[in-house]
């Protein structure tokens, strides 16, 4: 299996360097190979020079896309997908670092299942220094800040005591910061919808289309990624999320899409409200009522 890792990047030079260093240390079985495609979405922070100065050993292609009104993660990922030669596409964000087994675990999760959309676990790292020099020579958890939060999808799976594919809202949890799918399925689905500009939901909308084509989401906790930083949702990002949700709901005549508004109290920057966990439970419960599964309430 040939694996193509597609990473969009915008003004992310420092974290992208750590991401690429971790990808350079992947341990793949002999029958697998990998390439990494970085799509620079118009950065002017020296990302190009950083990529050019990386140590050898990584099959890396750098694509620069000049900044325009059409710029965004959906367009950048499509540019990477158009250049991908692999059978399997792994979607990753620039601010993630991964252990040496990361790509092998994604490949393993697809073995014998041609119709899987695999999402890996995401850990949130806390504030603190990163030992960049150490990471240049080895992957070490000691070089990273401590983990402060686990994957936000796991409490939902535990509450409903089910696999990811059994959630009515499974498609919403295709987060392109750590996911993989066969390239031919992405191409057949038309890739990402580039009308999603700004922050939020372009990956969930792809998940919606892929599941409607018969693919099933699979959660692979062994394929972990470590998120180096996370900024609070700003007023501008909240506004972009609302605009993207309106577009998403207008594109698909399905009430469950509009039910994603359940997350707004956790996203809105106005002040403390319900957390994402509580919002996710409400979202799944409402979707189950809509689907006639109203008796399938959370366990416990």
């Amino acid at each position: 299996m040939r694996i193509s890792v597609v990473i969009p990047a915008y003004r992310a030079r420092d974290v992208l360097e750590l991401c690429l260093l971790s990808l350079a240390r992947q341990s793949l079985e002999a029958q697998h190979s990998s390439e990494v495609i970085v799509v620079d979405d118009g950065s002017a922070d020296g990302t190009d020079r950083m990529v050019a100065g990386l140590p050898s050993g990584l099959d890396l292609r750098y694509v620069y896309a000049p900044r325009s009104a059409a710029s965004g993660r959906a367009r950048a990922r499509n540019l990477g997908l158009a250049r991908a030669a692999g059978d399997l596409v792994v979607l990753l964000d620039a601010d993630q670092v991964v252990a040496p087994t990361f790509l092998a675990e994604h490949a393993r999760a697809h073995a014998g299942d041609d119709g899987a959309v695999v999402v890996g676990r995401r850990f949130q790292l806390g504030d603190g220094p990163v030992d960049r020099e150490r990471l240049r020579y080895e992957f070490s958890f000691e070089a990273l800040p401590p983990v402060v939060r686990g994957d936000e999808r796991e409490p939902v799976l535990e509450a409903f005591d089910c696999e990811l594919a059994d959630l009515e809202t499974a498609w919403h949890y295709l987060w392109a910061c750590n996911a993989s799918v066969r390239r031919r399925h992405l191409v057949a689905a038309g890739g990402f919808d580039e009308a999603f500009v700004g922050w939020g939901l372009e990956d969930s909308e792809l998940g919606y289309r892929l599941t409607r084509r018969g693919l099933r989401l699979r959660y692979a906790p062994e394929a972990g990624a470590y998120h180096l930083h996370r900024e609070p949702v700003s007023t501008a990002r909240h506004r972009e999320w609302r605009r993207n949700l309106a577009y998403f709901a207008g594109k698909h005549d399905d009430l469950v899409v509009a039910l994603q508004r359940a997350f707004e109290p956790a996203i809105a920057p106005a002040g403390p409200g319900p957390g994402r966990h509580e919002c996710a439970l409400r979202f799944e419960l409402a979707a189950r009522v809509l689907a006639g599964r109203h008796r399938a309430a959370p366990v416990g």
Side-chain angles (χ1 to χ4, degrees):
M1 180 186 292
R2 177 76 166 164
I3 303 170
S4 296
V5 184
V6 174
I7 306 172
Y10 177 59
R11 296 193 301 188
R13 179 193 60 199
D14 292 343
V15 289
L16 175 62
E17 180 182 19
L18 299 177
C19 177
L20 295 175
L21 288 172
S22 69
L23 286 170
R25 306 227 176 335
Q26 295 300 293
S27 300
L28 284 170
E29 297 181 7
Q31 67 268 32
H32 300 318
S33 62
S34 67
E35 63 177 2
V36 177
I37 304 163
V38 170
V39 181
D40 184 344
D41 202 17
S43 303
D45 61 352
T47 294
D48 54 345
R49 296 189 297 276
M50 179 276 292
V51 170
L54 282 173
S56 59
L58 191 63
D59 185 355
L60 175 62
R61 277 184 277 173
Y62 172 78
V63 179
Y64 182 81
R67 199 73 180 164
S68 72
S71 295
R73 290 181 293 183
R75 178 172 176 265
R77 290 187 178 115
N78 281 343
L79 290 172
L81 177 60
R83 290 160 174 77
D87 308 294
L88 182 68
V89 173
V90 173
L91 302 167
L92 194 63
D93 277 352
D95 57 0
Q96 315 288 324
V97 293
V98 297
T101 57
F102 175 74
L103 293 183
E105 292 294 348
H106 269 284
R108 186 170 69 86
H110 284 273
D113 189 352
D114 182 65
V117 179
V118 174
V119 294
R121 177 182 273 160
R122 182 179 67 175
F123 298 93
Q124 178 64 47
L125 299 179
D127 295 330
V130 176
D131 189 340
R132 306 179 73 87
E133 288 306 311
R134 184 168 185 175
L135 289 177
R136 285 183 175 275
Y137 300 101
E138 64 171 344
F139 179 85
S140 170
F141 289 110
E142 295 178 356
L144 299 172
V147 173
V148 296
R149 187 170 64 249
D151 196 287
E152 297 170 2
R153 290 164 289 205
E154 291 181 357
V156 183
L157 298 177
E158 292 171 3
F160 289 94
D161 192 25
C162 67
E163 300 294 329
L164 180 57
D166 295 324
L167 292 178
E168 289 293 328
T169 57
W171 49 269
H172 173 82
Y173 297 106
L174 171 57
W175 297 343
C177 60
N178 180 3
S180 62
V181 64
R182 301 272 182 177
R183 181 168 61 92
R184 64 183 184 85
H185 292 314
L186 287 172
V187 172
F192 289 87
D193 184 340
E194 297 181 18
F196 286 88
V197 178
W199 185 77
L201 298 173
E202 79 287 342
D203 43 8
S204 294
E205 193 272 337
L206 174 62
Y208 180 89
R209 284 186 281 120
L210 289 172
T211 56
R212 293 316 184 261
R213 296 178 66 88
L215 279 70
R216 288 171 58 84
L217 267 77
R218 170 182 290 180
Y219 183 53
E222 298 84 3
Y226 298 84
H227 193 187
L228 286 164
H229 74 287
R230 182 169 187 167
E231 299 176 356
V233 179
S234 64
T235 300
R237 281 192 167 189
H238 179 227
R239 186 166 53 247
E240 292 167 354
W241 182 87
R242 286 174 59 93
R243 184 179 63 234
N244 283 344
L245 177 58
Y247 172 72
F248 194 166
K251 178 179 178 179
H252 300 287
D253 185 18
D254 189 344
L255 181 57
V256 73
V257 171
L259 291 178
Q260 290 176 108
R261 190 169 293 278
F263 286 101
E264 183 157 11
I267 292 173
R276 289 188 66 90
H277 177 209
E278 183 177 344
C279 293
L281 294 181
R282 292 176 182 178
F283 179 37
E284 176 63 18
L285 280 171
R288 289 186 176 216
V289 170
L290 191 63
R293 294 173 63 186
H294 56 281
R295 295 182 180 178
V299 299

